[in-house]
């Protein structure tokens, strides 16, 4: 319903015939017809109609009605009609309703009295309210709490009017007396709120006089107390701050979760003492474990994350309490919990965290958890992050995770093998056990990408003679018998792993495989079984051990090239560590047999698709290398690859360190700022919490924690001129963009010598924007100004347009005058922010997202890196391609950019450019996203900015 629609809905505007029909229904005696007539009248008035002749009919025929529905509609009607004339005076006919309102305030029915008192809260005409004040005050002592509740609200609303203190001068005193004797929770809350707004000293005195009984008050009143404390403590004089904090801490034991949540937030805003912050964090953690609503849990995690930003030392002790929220079945909650915990890791708690995560990984094996594969992937990534930051814990988890190399969730298996690859480089002590473990579990791997990385690890880190021979043996077993196919006498090709003729053989097979126990440890299980091979054996049934063979026979020649590459590396290393030349030559011959068998398979017609050229060239290169190896080539194959990988890890760690430094908040204090030394202050009467708070305030003052820099120039850039200087009405707007809404503060100036009547700012939106407020009419004196605020809701990341006009009337001209406003374009840059993600995640999203916008490069910039930096600055995105990959001058550049919107939308950009012979840049910028709006808006932004303009 909130989306724009091209369907035109017919609506009957007010006409003489319709007004007469409504009058006829109101004058009749049918109650149902009167109700429908009043509803139509209210709807017409809400849609801008005036119906001036209807008022007298309502006074004559509707006011005397005793029907409750009609009386309620009557009050709605009286609320929305114009009660003043063009000069600002109250209309004379408004006096006619005063007697009726007075009668309603003395009506024997409690409902009539209550709704009338509630209606009076919305009246702002002192001339109408003044004769009703005695009746309102009488209702303060009514026996029914419904009437007393609304009477207190009416007194509060009247007293807060511009001249309300003249209508009820002793209102705070009356309300204070009523509060002392009131028993109803809602009425007490209304009375206390009135004192908070109109007599704050009385509210504070009442609070302190009942401080011991605050915990026994109803939750509505406790919420009002929290609001009062927040308001009072914002004032510069905070002499009783300690007493307020004690009240807040006592309310943390309230049975109402809403009160407890508000108290925790108030406690953090009032005090930065570690004791107070710890109490608030404990409260949030208790709510996190007790609340079942996922939205509530996400909000609580946001609050805990805010505490982490400003009070990390305190939050470090709460890590295990936060981890308990992993019991939630919602993946979003789990993801936020893990992100929060990873930011709170220290050498003191990392072992506990990793042990807890290990137990969670074991739970995912049971299959009882919904989306267990995705959850396991998140846990693997979290453990990976722990092990990278604290390498000493890697040994306790890496062997457990290696059991998931054959996970059916390919993404989780890829994360595991990437984790293994990084740990085996950064933790040399674990290399021997990890290589042995990888050789034992290699046959379980089913995904081609996981096999490729695992083969690279075996080829790169198998260094001793036993490790090299074990790796070669593992690869040979997973490939099976060679060649991959045979040609029969009839010319038919069959898989050589099939039996050639029907036979039945009884074979005793002994198998050893790892098993994960319930406590997270592992053991080796041995079993001897008698297997019977029959003619029904197929290549598919052998896939449990011949994983490489089945993948290659499916046409994966990239994996076949990786096998050839790994065997070449292992043979070259075997020649270095094997004392027997004959054994090394024998291994080389077997490796050449594997490679030639792969080439034979790729060039045959056994598979529907032949081998690709890249894989063919790679395998041929390996064959030539094994036949003729030089020392320089041997050094490149056995050393350079590993050195490049180590360099890549070092650059990745350096980049992450630099990002953390950039995110760190650096604040500086002014040299003449005042610093109070609490050691020199009198501590008499101060609690430990107040002393801690004094220390924290002094530290903030010394480090500049209280200083807030405001960029006035940036604020001026957001002021947009809406009309021309020669227009009779000048307007300009200050645009404030929040996450989910836009606030327009419009200044309107009457530049004429005449009074502008019924001046209205009419706005409309295009895109996923929605105007919240209904336009109102104003009267503007000559050469005066008016501030009008408009709220616009934003529902997606898309460039929107706000347009409209100013309509007004003058006494000289009967027709309405219109001034058209300049359009306000809402920039997409206000909604997206730079973000980072793993390369694997980026590729997966790139393949998944269906919306793509392809923008041709058209720029005057001639340097590739300068153009890349210009696009990054213009789009507010993060470059995921490391600087080392962009070094050098080759005339080509390819980079990936990533950003995330406030609505959780991902924006992916790939830049591929080439420098032409004439020095100009050519290429394409491709944008992908899940939604169409962000792809189109980013494309328009890049098209506008890529020429190097501002």
């Amino acid at each position: 319903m909130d989306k724009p629609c091209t369907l035109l809905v017919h609506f009957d505007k007010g006409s003489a015939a319709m007004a007469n029909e409504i009058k006829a229904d109101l004058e009749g005696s049918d109650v149902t017809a009167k109700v429908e007539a009043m509803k139509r009248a209210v709807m017409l008035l809400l849609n801008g109609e005036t119906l001036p002749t209807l008022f007298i009919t309502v006074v004559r025929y509707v006011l005397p009605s005793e029907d409750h529905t009609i009386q309620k509609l009557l009050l709605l009607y009286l609320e929305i009609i114009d009660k003043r004339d063009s000069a600002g005076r109250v209309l004379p006919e408004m006096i006619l309703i005063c007697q009726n309102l007075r009668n309603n305030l003395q009506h024997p029915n409690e409902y009539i009295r209550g709704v009338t008192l509630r209606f009076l809260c919305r009246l702002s005409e002192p001339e109408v309210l003044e004769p009703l004040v005695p009746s309102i005050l009488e209702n303060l002592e009514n026996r029914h709490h419904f009437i007393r509740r609304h009477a207190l609200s009416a007194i509060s609303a009247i007293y807060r009017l511009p001249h309300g203190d003249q209508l009820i001068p002793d209102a705070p005193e009356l309300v204070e007396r009523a509060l002392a004797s009131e028993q109803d929770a809602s009425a007490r809350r209304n009375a206390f709120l009135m004192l908070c707004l109109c007599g704050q000293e009385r509210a504070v005195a009442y609070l302190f006089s009942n401080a011991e009984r605050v915990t026994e008050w109803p939750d509505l009143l406790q919420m009002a107390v929290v609001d009062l404390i927040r308001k009072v403590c914002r004032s510069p004089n905070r002499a009783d701050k300690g007493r307020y904090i004690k009240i807040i801490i006592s309310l943390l034991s309230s049975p109402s979760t809403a009160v407890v949540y508000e108290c925790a937030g108030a406690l953090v805003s009032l005090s930065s003492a570690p004791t107070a912050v710890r109490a608030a964090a404990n409260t949030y953690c208790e709510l996190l474990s007790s609340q079942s609503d996922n939205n509530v849990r996400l909000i609580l995690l946001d609050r805990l994350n805010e505490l982490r930003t400003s009070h990390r030392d305190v939050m470090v002790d709460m890590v295990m309490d936060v981890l308990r929220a992993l019991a939630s079945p919602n993946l979003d909650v789990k993801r936020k919990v893990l992100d929060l915990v990873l930011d709170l890791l220290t050498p003191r708690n990392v072992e506990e965290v990793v042990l807890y995560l290990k137990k969670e990984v074991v739970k995912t094996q049971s299959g009882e958890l919904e989306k267990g594969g995705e959850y396991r992937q998140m846990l693997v990534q979290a453990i990976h992050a722990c092990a990278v930051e604290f390498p000493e814990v890697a040994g306790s988890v890496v062997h457990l995770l290696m059991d998931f190399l054959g996970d059916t969730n390919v993404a989780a298996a890829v994360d595991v093998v990437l984790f293994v690859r990084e740990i085996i480089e950064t933790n040399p002590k674990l290399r021997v056990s990890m290589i042995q473990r990888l050789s034992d579990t290699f046959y379980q791997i089913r995904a081609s990408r996981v096999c490729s990385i695992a083969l690279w690890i075996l080829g790169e880190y198998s260094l001793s003679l036993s490790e090299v021979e074990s790796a070669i043996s593992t690869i040979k077993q997973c490939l099976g018998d060679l060649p991959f196919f045979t040609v029969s006498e009839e010319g038919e090709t069959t898989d050589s792993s099939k039996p050639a003729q029907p036979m039945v053989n009884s074979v005793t097979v002994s198998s050893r495989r790892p098993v994960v126990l319930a406590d997270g440890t592992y053991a080796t299980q041995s079993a001897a079984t008698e297997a019977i091979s029959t003619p029904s054996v197929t290549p598919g049934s052998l896939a449990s051990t011949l994983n490489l063979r089945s993948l290659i026979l499916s046409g994966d020649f990239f994996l076949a090239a990786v096998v050839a590459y790994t065997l070449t590396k292992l043979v070259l290393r075997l020649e270095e560590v094997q004392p027997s030349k004959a054994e090394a030559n024998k291994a080389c011959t077997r490796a050449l047999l594997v490679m030639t068998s792969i080439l034979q398979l790729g060039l045959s017609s056994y598979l529907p698709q032949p081998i690709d050229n890249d894989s063919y060239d790679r395998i041929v290169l390996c064959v030539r290398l094994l036949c003729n190896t030089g020392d320089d080539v041997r050094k490149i194959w056995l050393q350079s690859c590993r050195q490049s990988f180590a360099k890549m890890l070092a650059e990745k760690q350096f980049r992450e360190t630099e990002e953390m430094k950039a995110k760190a908040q650096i604040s500086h204090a002014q040299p003449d700022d005042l610093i109070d030394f609490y050691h020199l202050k009198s501590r008499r009467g101060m609690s430990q919490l107040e002393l801690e708070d004094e220390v924290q305030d002094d530290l903030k003052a010394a480090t500049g924690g209280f200083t807030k820099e405001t960029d006035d120039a940036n604020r001026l850039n957001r002021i947009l001129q809406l009309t021309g200087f020669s227009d009779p009405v000048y307007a300009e707007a200050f645009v404030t963009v929040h996450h989910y809404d836009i606030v327009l503060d419009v200044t309107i100036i009457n530049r004429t010598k005449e009074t502008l009547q019924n001046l209205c700012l009419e706005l409309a939106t295009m895109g996923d924007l929605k105007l919240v407020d209904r336009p109102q009419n104003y009267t503007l004196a000559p050469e005066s100004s008016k501030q009008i605020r408009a709220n616009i809701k934003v529902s997606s990341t898309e460039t929107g347009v706000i347009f409209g006009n100013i309509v007004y009337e003058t006494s000289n001209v009967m027709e309405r005058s219109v001034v058209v406003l300049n359009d306000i374009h809402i920039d997409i840059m206000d909604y997206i922010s730079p973000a980072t993600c793993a390369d694997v995640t980026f590729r997966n999203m790139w393949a998944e997202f269906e919306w793509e916008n392809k923008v041709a490069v058209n720029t005057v910039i001639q340097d590739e890196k300068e153009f890349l930096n210009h696009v990054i600055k213009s789009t507010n995105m993060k470059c995921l391609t490391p600087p080392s990959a962009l070094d050098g001058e080759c005339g080509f550049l390819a980079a990936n950019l990533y950003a995330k919107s406030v609505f959780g939308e991902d924006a992916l950009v790939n830049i591929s450019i080439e420098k032409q012979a004439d020095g100009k840049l050519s290429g394409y910028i491709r944008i992908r996203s899940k939604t169409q709006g962000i792809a189109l808006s980013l494309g328009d932004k890049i098209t506008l900015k890529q020429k190097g303009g501002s």
Side-chain angles (χ1 to χ4, degrees), residues 433-450:
S433 61
M434 291 177 67
I435 286 294
Q436 181 62 39
R437 186 75 170 166
L438 183 59
S439 298
D440 293 340
T441 58
F442 186 83
Y443 71 93
Q444 299 176 357
I445 302 175
R446 295 291 170 264
S448 173
R449 177 167 168 75
V450 181

Side-chain angles (χ1 to χ4, degrees), residues 355-402:
L355 181 61
Y356 194 96
L357 296 180
K358 280 176 61 179
K359 293 179 180 179
E360 290 295 311
V361 170
V362 174
K363 288 180 183 178
T364 61
Q365 290 181 287
S366 62
E368 298 176 359
L369 295 177
E370 186 180 358
K371 297 182 179 179
E374 296 180 39
Y375 180 39
R376 182 160 56 246
Q377 181 183 358
M378 291 163 50
L379 291 171
V380 170
Q381 293 172 350
I383 294 174
H384 186 178
C386 295
V388 169
E389 189 173 355
F390 301 95
E392 62 273 10
V393 302
S396 62
V397 293
V398 66
H399 294 92
L400 170 66
L401 294 184
M402 289 180 73

Side-chain angles (χ1 to χ4, degrees), residues 232-296:
V232 172
C233 289
R234 289 195 192 104
S235 60
N237 183 16
R238 301 185 295 174
D240 294 324
K241 181 179 174 182
R243 298 178 67 182
Y244 292 124
I245 293 177
K246 289 178 181 178
I247 294 175
I248 290 290
I249 292 178
S250 67
L251 287 177
L252 288 176
S253 59
S254 171
S256 171
T257 54
V259 173
V260 170
Y261 173 79
E262 291 296 332
C263 286
L267 191 59
V268 174
S269 63
L270 296 180
S271 173
S272 56
T275 304
V277 176
R278 192 174 293 108
N282 279 323
T283 301
Y284 286 142
C285 290
E286 290 174 4
L287 291 174
L288 190 62
S289 59
S290 63
Q291 298 300 306
S292 59
D293 188 279
N294 291 326
N295 294 320
V296 174

Side-chain angles (χ1 to χ4, degrees), residues 689-907:
L689 182 61
E690 292 176 277
L691 291 175
E692 291 180 10
D693 209 21
E694 292 284 346
V695 176
Q696 295 298 321
D697 288 349
D698 292 343
L699 288 174
K700 285 188 176 181
T703 58
F706 290 136
T707 59
K708 293 184 180 180
E709 299 179 0
T710 57
D711 190 355
D712 294 332
N714 188 33
R715 287 177 60 85
L716 291 175
N717 290 337
R718 292 186 175 274
I719 295 179
L720 303 175
Q721 183 179 341
L722 301 181
T723 62
F725 291 113
S726 60
D727 288 324
V729 176
Y730 175 78
E732 64 182 18
F734 177 74
V735 183
T736 305
V737 178
H738 301 291
H739 281 180
Y740 299 102
D741 61 345
I742 301 169
V743 179
L744 297 181
D745 290 307
V746 183
T747 303
I748 298 177
I749 302 175
N750 180 6
R751 304 180 69 248
T752 67
K753 301 292 183 180
E754 300 178 348
T755 300
L756 304 184
Q757 301 172 0
N758 294 327
L759 184 142
C760 180
L761 175 65
E762 298 178 347
L763 296 175
T765 59
M766 186 169 60
D768 283 341
L769 306 176
K770 180 185 177 184
L771 191 65
V772 177
D773 301 325
R774 186 170 145 267
Q776 298 182 7
N777 294 333
Y778 303 93
T779 300
L780 209 57
E783 298 182 353
S784 63
S785 63
K786 180 71 177 178
Q787 296 282 343
I788 300 176
R789 171 167 290 191
N791 292 304
I792 297 170
K793 290 295 179 185
V794 185
S795 57
S796 72
T797 309
E798 183 178 349
T799 299
V801 181
I802 303 171
F803 54 93
N805 49 52
I806 295 176
V807 182
Y808 61 91
E809 297 175 354
T810 60
S811 57
N812 298 333
V813 182
M814 298 301 296
E815 296 182 357
R816 306 189 76 182
S817 301
V818 178
V819 178
V820 180
L821 306 179
N822 290 333
D823 295 344
I824 301 175
H825 293 267
I826 303 303
D827 196 352
I828 188 178
M829 295 301 104
D830 294 319
Y831 303 115
I832 67 174
S833 57
T836 58
C837 68
D839 293 338
V840 177
T841 307
F842 186 92
R843 286 193 291 269
N844 291 338
M845 289 191 294
W846 187 268
E848 176 186 349
F849 291 169
E850 56 185 1
W851 289 104
E852 177 176 307
N853 191 4
K854 193 174 183 181
V855 179
V857 173
N858 181 18
T859 179
V860 296
I861 302 174
Q862 296 188 354
D863 183 74
E864 304 97 318
K865 295 179 183 176
E866 182 183 351
F867 178 72
L868 173 64
N869 293 331
H870 178 68
V871 173
I872 292 173
K873 182 179 178 181
S874 302
T875 57
N876 196 25
M877 302 188 78
K878 172 77 174 177
C879 181
L880 300 182
T881 306
S884 59
L886 302 174
D887 287 342
E889 299 291 339
C890 62
F892 298 90
L893 186 144
N896 294 329
L897 311 182
Y898 178 66
K900 205 172 185 67
S901 75
V902 296
F903 305 101
E905 300 167 315
D906 301 289

Side-chain angles (χ1 to χ4, degrees), residues 18 56 72 86 96 133 418 420 434 482 598 630 662 859 874-875 883:
M18 182 175 292
I56 299 301
K72 187 173 182 179
S86 58
L96 297 175
V133 168
L418 291 176
V420 171
M434 291 177 67
L482 298 177
I598 293 173
T859 179
S874 302
T875 57

Side-chain angles (χ1 to χ4, degrees), residues 499-542:
Q501 57 185 1
M503 61 177 64
V504 178
N505 294 329
S506 177
V507 184
T508 301
V509 181
S510 178
S511 62
R512 301 173 72 250
R513 59 183 301 169
V515 176
V516 180
L517 302 181
D519 59 353
T521 59
Y522 55 90
T524 302
Q525 182 183 37
S526 300
T529 59
E530 186 175 64
I532 298 185
S533 60
T534 65
S536 62
V537 175
T538 63
S541 65
L542 297 174

